[in-house]
């Protein structure tokens, strides 16, 4: 995947670092406000900043993201104002942003539900003919984000079936913190998560989620694969 870093400049590296710092600052503020009773909920992304910023910066403007409920870093990269995130968790807005404006869907509280949303949207992208044209401003990929707990949900597995058999241009991005909801992975998975993709008929890649450049490079490769019509990752 090193070729995907050939065009990363020193300014890009500074921008990555700036993203990581600001995303963590937003997260720490949300965490503090929730503990003070100002927010009803705040799912923290602590430890997932590099994974999310790397993936978010790999996306093109037309690529559409379907988050869970802690993808604050992806929201930042897609241009969603952090105050809208805080407003949603305070209960003073109805999502707080126009999904069509940033190609960033509203947060999904039901665990794993967004994987089906993403796959359906990706199937629509394919039917619109917006993959494999060779036009970098038209070819579109979709990303769905969840955690390791989400991979045990029926919606997640159904989404992978639909994506595989339709060759949908979707990338499933699983952020693994070694806990699946309230159970350690050892009680929920008999094999590493990324190896399970092969059972559905498409590739899976394990990435160091604390390495923003690794997350960026591998995500770029997966998105390119999806946009070119080669199916999901």
């Amino acid at each position: 995947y090193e070729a995907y870093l050939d065009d990363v400049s020193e300014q890009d590296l500074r921008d990555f670092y700036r993203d990581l710092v600001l995303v963590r600052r937003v997260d720490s503020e949300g965490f503090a406000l929730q503990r003070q009773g100002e927010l009803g909920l705040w799912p923290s992304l602590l430890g997932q900043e590099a994974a999310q910023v790397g993936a978010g910066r790999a996306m093109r403007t037309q690529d559409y993201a379907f988050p869970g409920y802690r993808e604050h870093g992806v929201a930042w990269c897609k241009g969603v104002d952090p105050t809208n995130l805080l407003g949603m968790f305070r209960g003073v807005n109805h999502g707080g942003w126009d999904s069509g404006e940033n190609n960033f869907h509203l947060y999904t509280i039901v665990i794993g539900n967004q994987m089906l949303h993403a796959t359906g949207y990706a199937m629509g992208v394919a039917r619109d003919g917006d993959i494999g044209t060779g036009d970098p401003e038209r070819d579109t990929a979709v990303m769905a984000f969840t955690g390791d707990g989400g991979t045990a949900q029926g919606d997640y597995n159904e989404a992978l079936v639909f994506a595989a058999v339709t060759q949908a241009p979707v990338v499933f991005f699983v952020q693994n913190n070694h806990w699946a909801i309230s159970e350690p992975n050892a009680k929920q998975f008999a094999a590493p998560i990324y190896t399970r993709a092969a059972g559905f008929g498409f590739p899976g890649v394990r990435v160091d989620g604390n390495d923003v450049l690794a997350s960026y490079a591998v995500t770029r490769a997966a998105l390119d694969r999806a946009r070119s019509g080669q199916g999901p990752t």
Side-chain angles (χ1 to χ4, degrees), residues 103-153:
N103 286 347
F104 183 80
H105 200 262
L106 299 181
Y107 277 5
T108 305
I109 304 299
V110 179
I111 295 174
N113 206 206
Q114 67 275 18
M115 315 311 272
L116 278 174
H117 300 164
T119 299
Y121 189 93
M123 292 166 66
V125 167
R127 282 162 174 73
D128 286 341
D130 291 334
I131 57 172
T133 70
D135 183 351
E137 296 185 0
R138 177 178 176 183
D139 288 339
T140 301
V142 179
M143 285 198 75
F145 296 84
T146 192
D148 22 3
T151 66
Q153 296 291 95

Side-chain angles (χ1 to χ4, degrees), residues 52-218:
Q52 292 190 20
V53 168
R57 289 303 178 197
M59 300 180 76
R60 294 178 183 167
T61 302
Q62 71 269 26
D63 294 337
Y64 205 108
F66 285 82
Y69 46 62
R70 71 175 81 244
E71 273 66 53
H72 319 316
V74 184
W76 170 263
C77 293
K78 294 294 282 182
V80 176
D81 190 328
T83 59
N84 286 331
L85 304 180
L86 298 173
M88 185 189 71
F89 286 116
R90 186 173 170 83
V92 296
N93 63 40
H94 299 291
W97 59 90
D98 180 351
S99 298
E101 181 178 333
N102 304 92
N103 286 347
F104 183 80
H105 200 262
L106 299 181
Y107 277 5
T108 305
I109 304 299
V110 179
I111 295 174
N113 206 206
Q114 67 275 18
M115 315 311 272
L116 278 174
H117 300 164
T119 299
Y121 189 93
M123 292 166 66
V125 167
R127 282 162 174 73
D128 286 341
D130 291 334
I131 57 172
T133 70
D135 183 351
E137 296 185 0
R138 177 178 176 183
D139 288 339
T140 301
V142 179
M143 285 198 75
F145 296 84
T146 192
D148 22 3
T151 66
Q153 296 291 95
D155 286 352
Y156 172 88
N157 289 276
E158 291 164 9
L160 267 61
V161 171
F162 277 114
V165 299
T166 64
Q167 286 291 281
V170 58
V171 176
F172 299 102
F173 194 86
V174 180
Q175 296 158 94
N176 178 8
N177 63 7
H178 304 292
W179 282 78
I181 308 176
S182 57
E183 292 285 355
N185 282 355
K187 292 188 175 182
Q188 195 139 355
F189 311 118
I193 293 172
Y194 77 99
T195 65
R196 296 167 65 190
F200 292 91
F202 56 85
V205 184
R206 183 179 182 178
V207 184
D208 180 355
N210 287 312
D211 186 334
V212 67
L213 294 179
S215 295
Y216 172 76
V218 174

